[in-house]
Amino acid sequence: MNSELLFCPFWSHTSDILSTIGYDSIIQHLNNGRKNCKEFEDFLKERASIEERYGKDLLNLARKKPCGQSETNTLKRALEVFKQQVDNVAQNHIHLAQTLREEARKMEEFREKQKLQRKKTELIMDAAHKQKSLQFKKTMDAKKNYEQKCRDKDEAEQAVHRSANMANPKQQEKLFVKLATSKTAVEDSDKAYMQHINTLDRVRSEWQSEHIKACEVFETQECERINFFRNALWLHVNQLSQQCVTSDEMYEEVRKSLEMCSIEKDIEYFVNQRKTGQTPPAPIMYENFYCPQKNAAPPGKATGSNSASSMVKNPPPNPR
């Protein structure tokens, strides 16, 4: 923050002493800033809900959905690491959701703290504006009364001049009394008018002093708000970046486990665990129905299709 007060050029751009256009402009800006903080706070809460939903869905996926459950040996271990790291990533998203809600809470606390600080200054300024407006009205009423008394005195003087040649002394005396009374009224109203002018100047000076103090408070608050908002946004982006880094570190564990996966070892493991015998089945030999041993032939040499010809060449013996 600069030592020079930046919020100073917010006086009224007109000669109207009752104008609060500069002050109103500052208040509107501060209200917009508070609204912007509330919008970012709501953004963090919504992002937290998204992260939490995603984390829970990912957690259910990792824990309930089968994923290569019948694999064995090194690939099985890699899949177990994969499922565990997906579980860890899900937990990390849920943790990020909690962190974002905490940041939203800090933003809300900061916003409410500034609101309470502003309220004190605004109450003082509202009272100053009200007092200035009230005193201005009294001063203008005193001015009108003073001007009217001056006009009454002028009329009384003119009436006296016009009655200079009047023969009725009582009427002249009456006009002189009226003139004297009007002069006294002018003097009294002039004093009252001057008193109100002085009071108004004192009130205006007090209001001006309070306005400067308010600008100092508001400028300090705005600097704090911008700094807090900027840092909160910076932290939020860093949290998202760290989320990506942490997730990548977890997935790196999966890549390392996959590097340890051996095709040869998995095949060998399967063979050793599930092998059913070293010797293949023996060949099926041909057996002649009538001479099962004598006429036995290797498979493929004699089949059922030429059994009739063999019967012709070697007729069976006659039964006894």
Side-chain angles (χ1 to χ4, degrees):
M1 176 179 173
N2 297 330
S3 58
E4 180 183 358
L5 186 61
L6 299 177
F7 274 17
C8 234
F10 281 92
W11 304 106
S12 172
H13 58 73
T14 68
S15 59
D16 184 6
I17 192 175
L18 297 182
S19 175
T20 59
I21 186 171
Y23 177 79
D24 294 340
S25 179
I26 294 175
I27 293 299
Q28 182 61 48
H29 178 73
L30 296 177
N31 288 337
N32 290 339
R34 184 167 177 268
K35 179 183 176 183
N36 293 337
C37 288
K38 181 63 167 64
E39 290 175 351
F40 184 63
E41 174 190 326
D42 293 339
F43 180 92
L44 289 176
K45 291 178 180 178
E46 184 63 27
R47 180 63 188 263
S49 298
I50 293 172
E51 291 289 342
E52 185 176 50
R53 286 196 302 270
Y54 176 70
K56 289 181 177 180
D57 289 345
L58 199 59
L59 202 62
N60 289 332
L61 178 67
R63 295 181 178 181
K64 297 180 180 180
K65 188 70 175 179
C67 182
Q69 59 183 351
S70 63
E71 286 294 343
T72 59
N73 206 35
T74 61
L75 183 55
K76 179 181 180 180
R77 289 194 292 271
L79 283 168
E80 288 173 350
V81 173
F82 168 68
K83 295 267 287 198
Q84 181 59 52
Q85 294 306 324
V86 171
D87 188 291
N88 292 340
V89 170
Q91 296 284 5
N92 201 32
H93 279 282
I94 294 174
H95 177 71
L96 176 60
Q98 296 171 348
T99 301
L100 295 180
R101 287 194 176 96
E102 178 64 19
E103 293 304 317
R105 185 189 62 80
K106 291 179 182 178
M107 177 63 76
E108 181 180 11
E109 289 179 351
F110 175 79
R111 185 169 50 81
E112 289 302 316
K113 177 183 176 182
Q114 282 211 326
K115 178 183 176 182
L116 293 176
Q117 291 174 341
R118 272 184 54 193
K119 192 67 178 176
K120 297 176 182 178
T121 302
E122 287 183 42
L123 288 174
I124 294 174
M125 286 302 297
D126 288 345
H129 287 146
K130 190 174 294 184
Q131 186 178 10
K132 182 181 65 170
S133 178
L134 180 62
Q135 184 57 42
F136 177 78
K137 183 178 183 304
K138 289 180 178 180
T139 302
M140 292 301 100
D141 290 343
K143 180 182 179 182
K144 289 179 181 178
N145 183 60
Y146 165 70
E147 291 174 346
Q148 183 61 47
K149 295 303 179 183
C150 287
R151 284 192 289 269
D152 292 343
K153 182 183 75 70
D154 291 344
E155 290 178 1
E157 287 179 344
Q158 292 175 6
V160 169
H161 289 308
R162 286 194 301 268
S163 66
N165 298 323
M166 291 180 61
N168 191 340
K170 290 184 178 180
Q171 189 70 24
Q172 286 184 337
E173 182 181 357
K174 186 176 181 180
L175 291 175
F176 277 111
V177 170
K178 185 176 181 181
L179 176 59
T181 303
S182 64
K183 287 181 177 180
T184 302
V186 167
E187 292 175 357
D188 292 341
S189 63
D190 182 56
K191 290 179 182 179
Y193 177 37
M194 286 297 298
Q195 288 177 351
H196 281 294
I197 284 291
N198 293 332
T199 302
L200 178 60
D201 189 62
R202 177 179 57 79
V203 169
R204 182 200 59 79
S205 179
E206 292 174 354
W207 161 80
Q208 182 173 310
S209 176
E210 292 298 336
H211 179 88
I212 294 173
K213 292 178 183 178
C215 287
E216 291 174 348
V217 172
F218 293 154
E219 183 173 330
T220 299
Q221 275 203 331
E222 184 63 1
C223 290
E224 291 175 351
R225 186 194 69 82
I226 293 174
N227 183 61
F228 188 88
F229 200 160
R230 173 185 175 275
N231 291 343
L233 186 57
W234 192 294
L235 177 61
H236 177 60
V237 174
N238 282 347
Q239 289 169 339
L240 299 183
S241 296
Q242 184 60 46
Q243 169 76 19
C244 296
V245 171
T246 304
S247 296
D248 188 66
E249 290 174 352
M250 294 174 179
Y251 291 136
E252 179 63 21
E253 295 300 317
V254 180
R255 288 189 285 268
K256 290 178 181 179
S257 67
L258 290 172
E259 289 175 352
M260 301 300 294
C261 180
S262 170
I263 299 174
E264 292 78 8
K265 288 182 180 180
D266 283 5
I267 296 297
E268 182 180 353
Y269 179 85
F270 168 73
V271 171
N272 291 334
Q273 291 292 320
R274 304 294 180 85
K275 62 185 177 181
T276 56
Q278 295 284 355
T279 307
I284 304 300
M285 307 300 291
Y286 168 79
E287 295 180 4
N288 187 280
F289 181 79
Y290 295 101
C291 301
Q293 294 180 352
K294 184 178 180 179
N295 296 319
K301 297 298 182 180
T303 63
S305 62
N306 57 13
S307 61
S309 60
S310 63
M311 290 172 59
V312 174
K313 293 180 180 179
N314 299 298
N318 294 324
R320 295 181 180 179

